[in-house]
Amino acid sequence: MKTQYRLVFSAVAGMLALNVSAAELKPEDAIKLRKANYNTLSWNMNKIKDVLDNEMDFDAKKVAAASNVIAAIANSGMGALYIPGSEKSIGDMKTRAKPEIFTDGEGVKAVAVKFIQTANKLQTAAASGDKVAVAQAFKKVGASCKACHDKYRAKK
Amino acid sequence: MKTQYRLVFSAVAGMLALNVSAAELKPEDAIKLRKANYNTLSWNMNKIKDVLDNEMDFDAKKVAAASNVIAAIANSGMGALYIPGSEKSIGDMKTRAKPEIFTDGEGVKAVAVKFIQTANKLQTAAASGDKVAVAQAFKKVGASCKACHDKYRAKK
């Protein structure tokens, strides 16, 4: 039974192209780390938004640094943090993940792949220093974030 | 007095080569984002540790992905999150930052530069796929983390 459970998890992890030994991770730490990664992503998305929205000069260096974080996290195998036992909030460790994110393998794979692709393109655009290219690529990353939130994150 | 404080902060931020409009960030959000970045770093350091400690095969891809996150965050200007008002815990938003991190500009610069340099070297080593080089570079990143913790993070 335990083996079967592990096999199911391995299958899900495989779909997400992950590679982390989930056995060592406690569910509450998995939730904490998911939120840590998403908050880090959000901070860096906001930096790029600030540059695009507000600054007279295009700060290419800042945008490139933020884009590097976003692309690196997108490619870091976050799916490994969706382990059994982490489906619901645990005490003070709240999660807004919907149950579907643990069951809808194909749908999750689609949003994950889209996020990785758009994040990689943003990184390339940012490295070029072209503001228009960054603005376009940034919009697509934002759309991929939203697509996942709409489908797999509960409203507040 | 307030102006002087801001000037000191600007000087520290400048030394860390930062560029974030701290005005828009609430102190509690700054603490939250600091912890999010450190937890994301910690998760990726642990992935590399796991590969080096436990795996028969050296998973170069996993190590490279984790190293990319570490280097990207190291270069993302985290010093911008040490804003006035974020020196102490705010309600449930706890911080273990010691007061010195807000005043010891030279010392903070030294640990920050060391972290960036060692993280960049780890990224290069990881890209090469050489396990020995990764192990050496990883040790140096760990030492730079510890140097900062010893000096600027309160014990639990």
Side-chain angles (χ1 to χ4, degrees), chain B residues 50-68:
Chain B
D50 281 351
V51 172
L52 291 172
D53 282 354
N54 304 325
E55 297 191 20
M56 299 292 282
D57 296 318
F58 181 66
D59 188 341
K61 211 171 162 185
K62 183 169 164 180
V63 168
S67 299
N68 286 342

Side-chain angles (χ1 to χ4, degrees), chain A residues 19-21 24 32-33 36-37 39-40 43-44 47 50 54 59 62 65 68-69 72-73 75-78 81, chain B residues 19-21 24 32-33 36-37 39-40 43 47 50 54 59 62 65 68-69 72-73 75-78 81:
Chain A
N19 209 355
V20 169
S21 55
E24 298 163 21
K32 179 179 164 179
L33 287 170
N37 277 273
N39 283 324
T40 303
W43 182 46
N44 285 284
K47 285 188 226 171
D50 281 351
N54 305 324
D59 188 342
K62 183 169 165 180
N68 286 342
V69 175
I73 291 181
N75 286 281
S76 73
M78 276 194 65
L81 297 172
Chain B
N19 209 355
V20 169
S21 54
E24 297 162 22
K32 179 179 165 180
L33 288 170
N37 277 272
N39 283 325
T40 302
W43 182 46
K47 284 187 226 171
D50 281 351
N54 304 325
D59 188 341
K62 183 169 164 180
N68 286 342
V69 175
I73 290 180
N75 286 282
S76 74
M78 275 194 65
L81 297 173

Side-chain angles (χ1 to χ4, degrees), chain B residues 68-91:
Chain B
N68 286 342
V69 175
I70 294 162
I73 290 180
N75 286 282
S76 74
M78 275 194 65
L81 297 173
Y82 289 84
I83 58 172
S86 71
E87 298 87 350
K88 291 180 184 173
S89 301
I90 301 171

